[in-house]
Amino acid sequence: MSSTSIALPGQSLGPVSSNNVGAGTHIHGDHLFASIAGPLTTTKASSKVPPNLSIARPTGTLLLPEVGTTVLGRITRTNPRQANFSILALGSTGDVVLAEPLPAIIRQQDIRLTEIDKVTVPGSFRIGDMVRAVVISFGDERAYFASTARDELGVVMAVSEGGNRMVPVSWREFEEVGGTRREARKVAKVV
Amino acid sequence: MAPYTGIPLSPAELSYLHTSLSQDPPIRPDGRSPTQFRPLVAETDILPSTNGSARICFPDGTEAIVGVKAEVEKTRAAGQDVIRGGEGVLGLGRGGGRDVDDEEMEDGEGNAVKSGRGRDEWVEIAIELPALLADAGLKDTLWINNRFHWRLYIDILLLSQPLSYPLPLLSLTTHLALLSTRLPALISEQDEDPLFNDDWEASTPLYPRHTNPSSSVQQHHIKPPITLLVMTVGPAILFDPSADELAVADAVLALSVAQQLPTDATSKSSDQAPSFKLIALRTVDPPSRLTAGGVPNTLNTTTTTTTSSGTSGTMGSSQKKPTAGEVLAIRERDQGTSVWRPPRGGVSRAVVGRMIKAVVERGGVGWEVMEGLAGVET
Amino acid sequence: MGPDILHHPLNRADGSATLSSNLYSVLAAVNGPVEVQRRDELPEEAAVEVNIRPASGVGGPRERWLETVVAAVLRSLLLVHMHPRTLIQITLQITKAPSLTLKGAARDVAVLPSLINAAFLALADGGLPLRNTVAAVLLAVASTGEVREEPSEKELAGCKSVHGLAYDNHGDLLLSESAGSFDLVEWERIADQAEKACRAVMAPLNEDGVVTEGSTSSLPWLRQELTDKAQAAIAWREAT
Amino acid sequence: MQADRRRLNAPPGGTAPPVFATAPKTKLQRPTRTREPDQHRKLFLRTGIVPSASGSAYYEIPPQQQQQTGLLVPQSSSLKITCTVHGPRPLPRNAAFSPNLLLSTHVKFAPFATRNRRGYVQNASERDLGAHLETALRGVVIGERFPKSGCEVVVTVLEGEEDGWWAGNAEGRGGGWGMMGVLAGCITVASAALVDAGIDCVDLVSGGVAAVVQAGTDQRGDDGVVAIDPAPSEHDGGIRAACVVGYLQSRDEVTEMWMKGDAGMRAEQLIDEAVKAASLTRAVLAEAVKEAVEMKLEKVEGNAVAAASVKEGKGKSKDVVMTG
Amino acid sequence: MAATMVLLPGEEIPTDLLPKSKKGTLTLGPGLHHTPPSTISATTPGTLQVDHRKAALWLEHAGGRYQPSVGDLVIAQIHHSSVETYSCALTPHTSFALLGQLAFEGVSKKTRPQLKAGDVVYARVSKASKWEDVEIECFNSATGKAEGMGPLKGGMLFDVRPAFARRLMIGTDKEGISKGGVVVLEEVGEKVKFEVAVGRNGRVWVDSGSVRETVLIGQLLRRADEEGWGVEAQRKAVKKALRDV
Amino acid sequence: MANGTAKPTGLAFSRETFAKLTPAPFLQALLQQPDPIRPNGRSLDDFRTPTINTGSLSHSNGSAVVRFGDTAVVCGVRAEILLASNIPHPPSEDIYDNDVVERLGLLVPNLELSTGCSPDHLPGNPPSTLAQALSYRILSLLHTSNLIDPEDLRIHHGAPPTEDDLPDEGPKIVTKAYWTLYIDILCIALDGNPFDAAWAAVMSALQSTHLPKAWWDPDREMILCSPLAAEASKLRLRDLPVASTFAVFSTGSPLKQRREAESWVLADPDEFEEGVCTETVTAVVMSDGGDVGRIVRLEKSGGGAIGKAAMRRCVQMSQQRWREWQGVLNGG
């Protein structure tokens, strides 16, 4: 791994004609250049497709979520129309930890795929819940728009009103560990 | 500078403007030639209570007023006599006053070297204009005698919201105001408390209008420097760019020029166009860098930003979208050819050279502007 | 004995009280739970904000420091989880301070007990949810080594060390600020005496209002005050 | 200066900096430039000094070897600059939508950074430095890759170049020549921090400064020489003109240029020399950045292998029982 | 009434004082905090009140800001209106309560009342959770009947302490004597005709045709609250006040 | 990256992610182990080993750079002159000597956090409450510990006898001016516990402080100083107080029975730990003549977990640390 060549911003990576632009690179004139510092990786070139050159950041790959990125975050406020949450980490297991939380919104219609009319925000999330969601758009000037309308998406960790840890017992309910108290959530299917 | 936002132009308009300005010759929205300035309103001596004043109004509505006021001040020379003894007092720390005491050590003996007696702090200016203070001549004319000097207060007032970089407007106005500034004639002798002739007619201009070779050294024929805004788009170099033009600039420079002091006093610098020298230059962050890039047609079907809570919310549609990687590739390959993309990188040295040349060369833009301003009726 | 107390002097505030000890007088006002600014908002708790105004002039770094200390104590005292995404605002105006200028830290420590006690009374008056009842005392160790409870201005000026401590009704130490020169043993002696004193002011009363436990030096003024106040509040019931 | 409610203030009487008397027998030795005109002072650059920031770097030009003067007052000034980068981060609530990364720069001298004690609040020249730096960096970052996010570039000057020799005469002082050296440093250190933060840039921008310096004390006749990386205190003849550039070597472009003074016919040469200086700094910059990347990679590997020692606190990671 | 028990914050309620209930569930009122399994402690100084019939207990406390709970009748002031809801103020400086645009008796999209900022409504708290904004309604969502709720036209608003408002609302026993020990309204009622609505949030709305009388009534209530008048004091004050009407 | 035993929720998070998502449970999990190891790899009582170097700032009379792990602080001391004649209300002659420094405000410490040392302290706004509180704690501690002999700050002048003096008495010594020390503390990198680091930096900087020889020049009516290092005098510190801060992590909650609460005392907390701890203790120990280490300042607030016993341990650790530090500071 340490044998990999390290590219620096501004370093020429060859003509565009024979290379494909990948992450961490950019094109200037007819040449491909590095735009971040990190190990350079080249995909296998085939007869018709030129190799794809990309540079990875030494620490995780992403700095910000992109459309389609799975994110983990905590619900910060809810109202009848939407739930606000702070994105804390990127990736379905949150491997990329963010230095600062990013504001995001799950709109009521994006909570579930089915029975959208029946779903309510309070019946799906409570402040403090840890949710897994996927970014569906860059959203408004402040918040990303995210969706939990998929089985493996939704609440992954929750604490009961009584302050006890809960575990999912169905697709719509959590239950206190060693307790009987149940609370309604949009539960993320165990993967 | 606060980020310049609120550019009213769409990516399409920006793209169009950029291409038309990149033509040779460039096609400017208002049909000007590259070196042509927009007509401006200028007047001087508008403030009777000042020693000199001017007002300039650009067609884009930006307007500035400058007032110059001169006051007699006792030259600070604390402990000067003691210092004569040869043991110097040197400042460590703030107290600029202290520092200049050393200066007294050199010319304190009363030898008649005139230059280098002026001090920066004799000119108090509201906004730091590049190189105004660099002009030693100005400061020296403020010297009255060993004990007294003029203090010049230059108050600059920008009357309007700056639509673009305001420095040129301010410098031109200041230039005019200084040209129109007059100081009362001195009638007292040597180092005694100065007495002045209250006859305004007898007063001497800070910057004599026309040069007469016979005049002594203390009068210098240099006009106050001016600062001009120059921008490049592709190959073109444009002067006095409008706010719209700046929105597509590749690079913007603010250049300050002053007249070249004739190397030998006998040269007929009066009849031929005086040469100009560059005395300050700085790049200005072009607002174009903050403009929004366009979306290449290939991506148009799926917009990546939905400020309006459209149907794009559902998972279904987001499946169709190209991966982030593909988006990047498409945008990069386009390189702003088919749609507008904010400029990247800087400006090449060669272009800078050309810009400088265009300003300072004999009969260049710098000369034109100064002539134009000299023509302003007072 | 015990400080002079006036309940609910301010009608506009949700809760308020004035407390005058032999050294300081403090006017405390409480508002809450009220709407909180977005940037201070805590998703699962109420934010606690303390503002301290000195007896003269505008506050400075010293007041900011006092605020952080008082806020820390009150935060551990309030049931902040009951009002998430709200603000509980406490304003403490010092109206009387020792005339003779005390030396730095002594002056800093000396004011804290009065601030804490005043703030507590105001919170109680405002009916904000409290985890416990708290009381704070000021102790000074004279150069002779003897410990003075609620010392006088003079004693304070001449003392070797000053100690401000606060205990709650479970005997938990919520605040301990000491300055001067002392050793561990001394401090532990101080802590014991302080705990005794704090428990005493909230000790239960029996019928004839005589203290059943705690030092005789101080009566359970705190409980007395709060009890009288609570009974006054339901006077109308008896009336009907 | 009125009291600042948020700081501890000077005694009401107000204080003045000490005034030094040159002791009769001591001869004040002005430092002189020993290196060639086209030679840059040795400089030190390291990234990743502030782990809590997205990116950071430290830049230093150590004081030149100075003869033991036995004076309290430093003979030659040195340059010490730190820079942290925070971002990409969400824009402040009040900010409007921005399609690009909103870069904002902030340059501040430490109170003890210069001979004249600095104030706590940014002054005009510090704000202007910030503007110059912003211009230099805006051109190099690829803003459109970080929509609606901001990036704070914070530069703290721990020790700044002087405008001239503290004991020098009028010509050496004023003119703010020191500022230009500082700007060159700011550009380089900020560039390193940006790359350390992993923000896309078209190139490594590096700062360089050159000046037209008077050979002798007398003004007339000689039109001086052009020297790169001038230390104002070393040029007793004074500095006639100076130029700073933020230079992109791989594109041969400048994102920032700041020229002051009367370069006469030498303007172009002055620029070229400044660019030369920038190229020299770039070498150091590239080296530092590469080193940093290699170190990060090793660390990542270390974690992946999970053989990290307990000292790094990784050892126990396996034993951690998750309690959601 | 038994010797009142005064509790200080953090003090537990002796188990022998807890009411016995068949279901084994207790209803906790204001001023009390439950820590599982079975610890009940005071959160504010106050006198313990127990209702053995309802197996309910709470602390009586005079001061403090109004805390909404479902079923409370409140007087709300419209602050602004959005697509589906009006945002109304119940108490100053607290986040707004939401009132559905259609939460009135027998209204449709077209016939719904057009309320503007400053208008006052008499409403019922329909949802009170610490996690979301409070919701109120101007009709009983079960029956769809207004039950006296709805916009309050004309008149004036007066602020009293929430505790006093509650006393005003306790109503009268079979002899028609106020249980809350407030007789001001009854007394005045014998001389002057007026409309009144009392909100638990410490707001009283009064409207007798004339402004003068309205203000007078408001003042009487205010002072009865602040000066803690007993029944007799109230009667005296009312007589004195009405003499010059 | 999966580690830890899979939970019913099927969650498998990396350490970093776990710490980020649910800091408190993460810390609790680590501390509940038989021999607790903190996330930063330290044991409960471990302080970060400091690195100090002094005199690196050329424009300061004294300076120091102190590093505690990833917390770095720079302190520069600048001496300026306060003319006695400029003092509005000069204190009476009989003023208790040690009070002069405080009364005249000759020590002016200011701590700057908005240097971008962490994302929470970005520049552009006035000093945060934290910064102000820290500045004040340092000032107050400087005064309480009587570190500096007022004599070191006085600039005397032997006034020649005037005729209204008694003939026999010689020139009487008057204090013409005082040195005022501006102690500027910049936090360059912040990873928790800024106070201990800042205080250590102040101590080291003051120790390395030299004041130039200064005298009153009657002719110019001003104070002049000698630029010769040889003539400058080193500032003497009477003592070397050492500050030790602890944070308390407690599982106590109003929703749980009091007896269920567990708590741990963490020495020299880092940023992450401070984020999940509300209760803190700071003990400042100095010799004050003895060799046991007497307490000059003891601060604790933010919770009730620390009682007498825990406090005793904290103080003893502080005294231990004070002993170790004597070497470090005297050496540094």
Side-chain angles (χ1 to χ4, degrees), chain D residues 227-292:
Chain D
I228 72 168
D229 178 36
S233 60
E234 294 177 347
H235 300 284
D236 53 354
I239 294 176
R240 271 226 321 243
C243 175
V244 190
V245 294
Y247 181 59
L248 312 182
Q249 195 172 38
S250 67
R251 300 162 73 106
D252 187 21
E253 291 175 346
V254 291
T255 52
E256 157 71 10
M257 185 182 296
W258 183 24
M259 196 195 297
K260 268 171 67 172
D262 177 5
M265 293 298 98
R266 296 186 158 211
E268 307 253 353
Q269 188 197 350
L270 184 55
I271 296 174
D272 293 342
E273 290 303 308
V275 164
K276 191 185 286 170
S279 318
L280 292 172
T281 10
R282 184 206 170 93
V284 183
L285 175 58
E287 199 40 54
V289 169
K290 210 180 188 81
E291 224 164 79

Side-chain angles (χ1 to χ4, degrees), chain D residues 153-169:
Chain D
V153 179
V154 187
V155 174
T156 306
V157 181
L158 293 176
E159 208 149 285
E161 197 91 67
E162 290 300 328
D163 282 350
W165 187 41
W166 62 283
N169 46 21

Side-chain angles (χ1 to χ4, degrees), chain D residues 4-321:
Chain D
D4 179 343
R5 285 195 294 105
R6 299 189 184 81
R7 291 190 173 82
L8 298 166
N9 293 289
T15 62
V19 173
F20 285 85
T22 45
K25 43 202 93 45
T26 46
K27 179 79 198 73
L28 289 176
Q29 230 332 320
R30 181 189 189 104
T32 47
R33 182 178 180 120
T34 48
R35 60 190 188 284
E36 291 305 307
D38 63 350
Q39 196 183 352
H40 200 290
R41 279 173 295 180
K42 175 174 162 304
L43 72 83
F44 170 81
L45 183 65
R46 208 173 101 227
T47 65
I49 53 149
V50 181
S52 56
S54 322
S56 60
Y58 175 71
Y59 173 105
E60 175 173 348
I61 294 184
Q64 301 305 288
Q65 73 297 332
Q66 57 174 280
Q67 64 283 24
Q68 260 323 317
T69 56
L71 294 184
L72 286 172
V73 191
Q75 290 301 287
S76 66
S77 59
S78 60
L79 201 49
K80 293 192 177 77
I81 310 176
T82 68
C83 174
T84 56
V85 168
H86 302 272
R89 58 205 302 267
L91 287 172
R93 235 177 214 85
N94 47 24
F97 179 87
S98 158
N100 308 316
L101 183 73
L102 266 191
L103 196 73
S104 60
T105 57
H106 187 278
V107 178
K108 182 81 192 77
F109 281 70
F112 44 73
T114 50
R115 218 183 75 231
N116 306 340
R117 190 166 176 275
R118 292 279 179 150
Y120 296 111
V121 284
Q122 256 193 332
N123 65 18
S125 62
E126 286 165 332
R127 279 196 301 276
D128 193 43
L129 273 184
H132 280 291
L133 181 58
E134 195 166 312
T135 314
L137 300 181
R138 279 256 180 85
V140 75
V141 298
I142 307 181
E144 76 247 31
R145 293 194 180 176
F146 307 96
K148 73 171 186 174
S149 42
C151 181
E152 310 280 334
V153 179
V154 187
V155 174
T156 306
V157 181
L158 293 176
E159 208 149 285
E161 197 91 67
E162 290 300 328
D163 282 350
W165 187 41
W166 62 283
N169 46 21
E171 295 80 44
R173 195 178 298 101
W177 303 120
M179 283 301 221
M180 305 191 89
V182 172
L183 176 59
C186 290
I187 294 173
T188 308
V189 72
S191 173
L194 269 180
V195 176
D196 185 41
I199 289 169
D200 293 53
C201 298
V202 294
D203 195 0
L204 289 171
V205 60
S206 60
V209 58
V212 180
V213 297
Q214 216 76 42
T217 332
D218 80 293
Q219 298 273 9
R220 296 149 202 68
D222 93 89
D223 51 359
V225 290
V226 179
I228 72 168
D229 178 36
S233 60
E234 294 177 347
H235 300 284
D236 53 354
I239 294 176
R240 271 226 321 243
C243 175
V244 190
V245 294
Y247 181 59
L248 312 182
Q249 195 172 38
S250 67
R251 300 162 73 106
D252 187 21
E253 291 175 346
V254 291
T255 52
E256 157 71 10
M257 185 182 296
W258 183 24
M259 196 195 297
K260 268 171 67 172
D262 177 5
M265 293 298 98
R266 296 186 158 211
E268 307 253 353
Q269 188 197 350
L270 184 55
I271 296 174
D272 293 342
E273 290 303 308
V275 164
K276 191 185 286 170
S279 318
L280 292 172
T281 10
R282 184 206 170 93
V284 183
L285 175 58
E287 199 40 54
V289 169
K290 210 180 188 81
E291 224 164 79
V293 172
E294 278 157 358
M295 275 167 57
K296 281 187 201 160
L297 288 175
E298 280 164 24
K299 194 159 167 298
V300 173
E301 272 179 86
N303 299 354
V305 178
S309 69
V310 175
K311 202 179 122 296
E312 287 166 47
K314 305 288 177 223
K316 291 281 177 197
S317 57
K318 286 289 169 285
D319 320 337
V320 175
V321 178

